[in-house]
């Protein structure tokens, strides 16, 4: 079973920080549109799938391809977004993360974690064994880096962009740390405070579900899931039952410290080895150059399909087919 947790943060509105949407304003719609696209031919809330300003398609296309091939269930979870997705979903909250340069990002952290963990506890009764949890949270690599720094990890998170805006992220985080009056590592024993000050509702929701559910958890994402793992560890959890499953494009990203940070944290990871270099479409071929990379649990969804006997080539073919459909209608 797969969950896709939706979150928004005002951080995605800072010019230049996120390209997980055609414009900064449209990043507000990316999470619900990603979720809707998993179930329909195109999103409902907006007529086109989320794209970068240069038109690269959302990684939800990979998640959708894997889902259509392997037919596993996906439950959408609204961790906290501006708008509700127009698909059946679990409602945890409607709180959007605030701009942490100006105020606490998520004063509602405890409420979100409590509700999400109640949901996780109920899942125990379904004997699922394992769950895969993905995310869609534009601007989320910046909140993830802020949380990792607050917890004492000298990490660089990845980005939906080919040019990871690290200097901008670092400036924004420095402003947030100044506002909160803290230094790197100062919240290493205070994960809840780190989340309140710098986090986003996706992280709080995944932490809650992961603490309530007692089975194996596949954290389906890139460097944002490192922040989730770091929070879980700081809360005293063992990381043995967690594996981060991401994509080759995150592993290859030299602008981030995915491998080093995962190893430092002691969390296991795997990746899906998809290859779009032979695609007919530039938007997909550009994934090989480092655009987009991961999101909407793409790596974890591919992993689920592979486990059910499909191959990477099957997934690539299905993605191509879905993209073709979008260009025709
Ligand atoms: C989610 N939807 C996306 C997308 N993601 N649509 C297009 N491109 C993406 N990369 P950043 O911090 O740079 O905004 O990256 C995080 C976002 O990128 C998340 O929403 C993740 O799911 C992915």
């Amino acid at each position: 079973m797969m969950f896709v947790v939706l979150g928004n943060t005002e951080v995605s509105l800072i010019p230049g920080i996120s390209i997980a949407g055609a414009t900064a304003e449209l990043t507000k719609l990316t999470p619900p549109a990603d979720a809707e696209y998993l179930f329909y031919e195109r999103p409902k809330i907006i007529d086109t799938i989320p794209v970068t300003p240069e038109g690269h398609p959302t990684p939800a296309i990979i998640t959708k391809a894997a889902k259509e091939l392997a037919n596993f269930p996906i439950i959408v979870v609204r961790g906290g977004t501006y708008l509700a997705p127009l698909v059946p979903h679990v409602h945890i909250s409607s709180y959007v993360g605030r701009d942490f340069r100006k105020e606490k990002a998520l004063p509602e952290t405890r409420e979100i974690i409590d509700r999400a963990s109640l949901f996780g506890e109920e899942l125990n009764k379904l004997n699922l064994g394992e769950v895969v949890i993905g995310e869609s949270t534009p601007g989320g690599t910046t909140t993830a880096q802020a949380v990792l720094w607050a917890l004492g990890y000298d990490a660089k998170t990845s980005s939906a962009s080919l040019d990871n805006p690290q200097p901008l992220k670092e400036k924004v985080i420095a402003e947030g740390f100044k506002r909160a009056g803290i230094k790197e590592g100062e919240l290493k024993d205070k994960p809840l405070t780190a989340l309140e000050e710098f986090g986003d509702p996706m992280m709080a929701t995944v932490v809650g579900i992961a603490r309530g559910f007692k089975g194996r958890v596949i954290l389906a994402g890139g460097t944002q899931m490192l922040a989730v793992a770091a929070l879980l560890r700081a809360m005293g959890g063992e990381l043995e039952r967690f594996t981060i499953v991401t994509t080759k494009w995150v592993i290859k990203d030299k602008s981030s410290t995915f491998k080093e940070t995962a190893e430092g944290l002691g969390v296991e990871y795997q990746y899906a080895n998809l290859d779009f270099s032979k695609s007919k479409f530039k938007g997909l071929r550009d994934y090989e150059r480092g655009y987009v990379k991961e999101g909407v649990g793409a790596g974890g969804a591919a992993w689920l399909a592979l486990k059910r006997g499909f191959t990477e080539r099957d997934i690539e073919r299905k993605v191509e087919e879905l993209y073709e459909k979008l260009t025709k209608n």
Side-chain angles (χ1 to χ4, degrees):
M1 161 110 58
M2 175 161 184
F3 297 91
V4 174
V5 177
L6 310 181
N8 278 117
T9 161
E10 286 176 0
V11 168
S12 75
L13 304 176
I14 300 171
I17 215 143
S18 170
I19 61 162
T23 64
E25 195 58 26
L26 282 174
T27 61
K28 291 181 178 176
L29 297 186
T30 295
D34 274 338
E36 290 158 8
Y37 179 52
L38 298 176
F39 297 89
Y40 297 105
E41 234 169 77
R42 46 184 68 227
K44 298 268 170 198
I45 213 158
I46 181 171
D47 192 38
T48 55
I49 59 162
V51 289
T52 69
E54 292 173 272
H56 304 99
T58 171
I61 197 166
I62 299 170
T63 314
K64 183 179 175 75
K67 170 182 181 283
E68 291 192 2
L69 284 175
N71 203 30
F72 51 80
I74 297 188
I75 308 282
V76 172
V77 180
R78 184 183 184 190
T81 53
Y82 291 102
L83 294 166
L86 302 176
V87 285
H89 61 277
V90 173
H91 181 265
I92 299 295
S93 95
S94 327
Y95 301 123
V96 167
R98 265 71 100 221
D99 182 343
F100 61 62
R101 295 173 304 178
K102 300 179 192 151
E103 58 189 309
K104 275 186 201 297
L106 204 61
E108 305 85 0
T109 291
R110 278 164 207 272
E111 185 184 333
I112 296 177
I113 292 183
D114 286 351
R115 246 183 246 162
S117 97
L118 190 59
F119 178 55
E121 280 168 32
E122 287 302 295
L123 295 176
N124 290 322
K125 302 171 191 168
L126 290 172
N127 296 319
L128 297 169
E130 82 189 1
V131 296
V132 175
I133 311 180
E135 59 69 45
S136 174
T137 315
T141 60
T142 300
T143 45
Q145 186 163 312
V147 165
L148 284 164
W149 284 18
L151 296 178
Y153 297 89
D154 184 18
K156 286 196 172 102
T157 54
S158 196
S159 163
S161 176
L162 177 65
D163 296 310
N164 190 346
Q166 271 295 328
L168 176 59
K169 284 183 184 173
E170 290 175 16
K171 180 169 165 274
V172 163
I173 295 169
E175 283 173 40
F177 278 24
K178 191 163 170 222
R179 193 263 314 146
I182 67 133
K183 294 206 165 26
E184 285 165 39
E186 213 172 302
L187 300 179
K188 76 174 171 11
D189 301 319
K190 294 182 179 161
L192 285 178
T193 310
L195 257 176
E196 278 171 9
E197 291 289 351
F198 309 112
D200 61 53
M202 179 284 286
M203 283 190 240
T205 301
V206 180
V207 161
I209 297 174
R211 282 174 68 82
F213 180 70
K214 301 298 179 211
R216 184 161 180 238
V217 179
I218 306 298
L219 297 170
T223 47
Q224 290 166 263
M225 288 305 178
L226 288 174
V228 170
L231 286 163
L232 288 166
R233 192 166 104 165
M235 288 172 154
E238 292 290 334
L239 292 184
E240 274 132 44
R241 65 188 178 92
F242 295 92
T243 303
I244 297 182
V245 178
T246 188
T247 63
K248 170 190 92 176
W249 304 298
V250 169
I251 302 286
K252 276 178 58 182
D253 176 16
K254 291 202 176 62
S255 74
S256 83
T257 59
F258 180 86
K259 281 202 227 171
E260 295 86 330
T261 309
E263 277 152 24
L265 251 165
V267 65
E268 222 184 278
Y269 65 86
Q270 293 180 25
Y271 61 95
N273 201 4
L274 297 169
D275 183 349
F276 290 166
S277 61
K278 298 202 174 64
S279 171
K280 267 200 287 187
F281 304 103
K282 182 171 188 299
L284 290 171
R285 285 199 306 275
D286 276 353
Y287 271 59
E288 296 300 326
R289 296 172 56 205
Y291 282 99
V292 184
K293 298 184 188 78
E294 163 69 297
V296 201
W303 178 86
L304 271 178
L306 295 171
K307 237 177 55 149
R308 291 177 193 199
F310 295 91
T311 66
E312 277 99 348
R313 304 298 88 79
D314 294 330
I315 300 168
E316 291 154 13
R317 229 174 291 132
K318 190 76 188 174
V319 167
E320 196 83 357
E321 201 181 289
L322 290 171
Y323 198 83
E324 184 117 46
K325 232 185 234 175
L326 286 168
T327 58
K328 281 194 175 137
N329 295 339

